[in-house]
Amino acid sequence: MALIENCNSNIRGMKSRLMYVELKTGYNDNGPAWIGKAFFSKTGKTVYFNGLVFLKGERHSAGNHLEYITGDSYWISGVKKEGGDRHWAGGGKIQIDKNVLAEYLEITELPKLPLNIFEIVELNNNPQIELFNKIENQKFL
């Protein structure tokens, strides 16, 4: 079994969990959205998802995390058991990582994925830990 398929798996000691992620900057409740495996630092304040690094912070622009490089605001939360992840006023398809389909269907108890709501994609499940550490630990002259 691949590491990514197990909800309690870890990469280099990191905890992972199936998460819903939605871009808020520049959008109301209809920004691009994804469901996939997120990886967490020991403190839980740094989230790695789809090749990006997010820092947990105060709520801002309807989001609860900032993407480290761009500063864009994102909403990140666990997936909802009943499958209603997107805000009630929002719209648009949610991209879901093909590697987490079975886990998502098990959590939501859906018999099959509703393709009118979801688009199956392949997300980047390689946390950018080294890049984040390099940037955070660089010395200024």
Side-chain angles (χ1 to χ4, degrees), residues 107-119:
I107 289 170
T108 59
E109 298 179 356
L110 292 169
K112 64 180 185 172
L113 192 68
L115 295 177
N116 62 323
I117 298 172
F118 294 95
E119 176 184 354

Side-chain angles (χ1 to χ4, degrees), residues 9 18 22 32 40-41 44-45 50 63 69 71 80 105 110 117 121 125 128 140:
S9 71
L18 199 58
E22 181 179 325
F40 299 85
S41 65
K45 292 183 179 181
N50 195 24
I69 301 295
K80 306 295 186 272
L105 292 173
L110 292 169
I117 298 172
V121 298
N125 290 303
Q128 298 295 315
F140 294 100

Side-chain angles (χ1 to χ4, degrees), residues 11 13-17 19 21 37-57 64-69 76 127-136:
I11 292 179
M14 297 178 75
K15 291 188 178 186
S16 65
R17 184 172 162 209
M19 300 297 283
V21 177
K37 194 66 72 172
F39 300 88
F40 299 85
S41 65
K42 289 180 186 177
T43 64
K45 292 183 179 181
T46 306
V47 180
Y48 302 90
F49 180 85
N50 195 24
L52 302 173
V53 179
F54 300 92
L55 302 176
K56 186 175 175 96
N64 60 358
H65 287 75
L66 292 177
E67 199 279 314
Y68 184 72
I69 301 295
I76 300 178
Q128 298 295 315
I129 303 163
E130 291 82 12
L131 173 63
F132 176 68
N133 288 338
K134 182 178 179 180
I135 294 170
E136 279 291 293

Side-chain angles (χ1 to χ4, degrees), residues 80-127:
K80 306 295 186 272
K81 189 169 185 169
E82 69 283 353
D85 296 292
R86 197 178 271 288
H87 189 276
W88 64 267
K93 285 194 174 186
I94 299 169
Q95 295 186 355
I96 186 166
D97 187 0
K98 70 178 188 173
N99 295 305
V100 301
L101 282 176
E103 184 178 349
Y104 182 77
L105 292 173
E106 183 179 329
I107 289 170
T108 59
E109 298 179 356
L110 292 169
K112 64 180 185 172
L113 192 68
L115 295 177
N116 62 323
I117 298 172
F118 294 95
E119 176 184 354
I120 300 170
V121 298
E122 186 169 6
L123 299 180
N124 177 352
N125 290 303
N126 297 311

